[in-house]
């Protein structure tokens, strides 16, 4: 069973450590949730020895977005988007820049099996029918 957070299944949960010139060390944590639509809530968290922060966004295809977290400009690039009823995959690149220092801190292709509410509901329906049939066969 997939992990649930905020009531939504997490279909991708990836972490990556980074080091910038040996001075700034930390990790990037990416969580992608599936709400059953073609849009996916994402929580990107950066923890480092110089500060931490997180950014929520919704992804639904290839895009490039920038924001500032703890005084550091973060650029998120999503490419190679592929979304079907059963699978989500994309390439994610996260770059950090402060002053003259520029570093790619996350650069991976991510994929996860979609949470299929239709299939889940059908399985529950079949289990209920099986239970009812078994209960009907019990002697009175």
């Amino acid at each position: 069973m997939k992990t649930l957070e905020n009531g939504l299944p997490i279909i991708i949960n990836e972490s990556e450590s980074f080091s910038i010139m040996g001075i700034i060390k930390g990790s990037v944590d990416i969580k992608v949730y599936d709400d059953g639509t073609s849009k996916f809530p994402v929580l990107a968290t950066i923890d480092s020895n110089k500060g931490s922060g997180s950014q929520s966004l919704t992804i639904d295809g290839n895009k490039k977005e920038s924001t500032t977290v703890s005084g550091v400009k973060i650029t998120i690039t999503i490419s190679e988007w592929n979304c079907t009823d059963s699978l989500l995959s994309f390439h994610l690149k996260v770059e950090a820049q402060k002053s003259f220092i520029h570093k790619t801190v996350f650069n991976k292709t991510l994929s996860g099996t979609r949470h299929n509410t239709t299939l889940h509901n059908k399985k529950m329906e079949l289990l209920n029918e099986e239970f009812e049939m078994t209960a009907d066969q019990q002697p009175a």
Side-chain angles (χ1 to χ4, degrees), residues 1 4 7 9 27 40 78 87 94 118 137 140:
M1 175 142 209
L4 294 177
S27 64
F40 299 86
I78 297 168
L87 180 74
V94 179
T118 304
Q137 294 175 358

Side-chain angles (χ1 to χ4, degrees), residues 110-129:
L110 304 175
S111 66
T113 303
R114 301 264 334 252
H115 176 71
N116 188 329
T117 54
T118 304
L119 180 59
H120 175 74
N121 290 343
K122 186 63 176 173
K123 284 180 183 177
M124 293 306 293
E125 184 181 311
L126 290 172
L127 284 172
N128 283 336
E129 286 177 12

Side-chain angles (χ1 to χ4, degrees), residues 9-138:
I10 299 171
I11 61 170
I12 298 172
N13 188 2
E14 287 282 335
S15 293
E16 186 81 17
S17 296
F18 65 87
S19 177
I20 302 173
M21 299 174 64
I23 299 168
I24 302 171
K25 297 177 182 181
S27 64
V28 177
D29 181 48
I30 306 294
K31 290 183 181 178
V32 180
Y33 304 88
D34 190 352
D35 64 2
T37 69
S38 61
K39 296 184 180 204
F40 299 86
V42 176
L43 180 63
T45 304
I46 297 177
D47 290 313
S48 79
N49 59 333
K50 299 293 183 182
S52 300
S54 61
Q55 178 70 35
S56 296
L57 63 143
T58 300
I59 59 174
D60 60 358
N62 295 330
K63 69 160 70 174
K64 188 172 189 171
E65 192 170 303
S66 294
T67 188
T68 300
V69 177
S70 297
V72 178
K73 180 182 176 188
I74 304 294
T75 302
I76 299 168
T77 305
I78 297 168
S79 60
E80 301 174 25
W81 182 264
N82 181 28
C83 178
T84 67
D85 288 342
S86 59
L87 180 74
L88 171 66
S89 68
F90 57 93
H91 188 85
L92 177 64
K93 184 175 184 179
V94 179
E95 299 169 282
Q97 182 176 358
K98 183 163 185 168
S99 177
F100 64 90
I101 300 172
H102 182 266
K103 175 75 174 177
T104 298
V105 296
F106 194 97
N107 193 15
K108 257 186 194 182
T109 297
L110 304 175
S111 66
T113 303
R114 301 264 334 252
H115 176 71
N116 188 329
T117 54
T118 304
L119 180 59
H120 175 74
N121 290 343
K122 186 63 176 173
K123 284 180 183 177
M124 293 306 293
E125 184 181 311
L126 290 172
L127 284 172
N128 283 336
E129 286 177 12
E130 183 179 316
F131 177 75
E132 288 172 4
M133 286 174 41
T134 304
D136 288 344
Q137 294 175 358
Q138 297 296 320

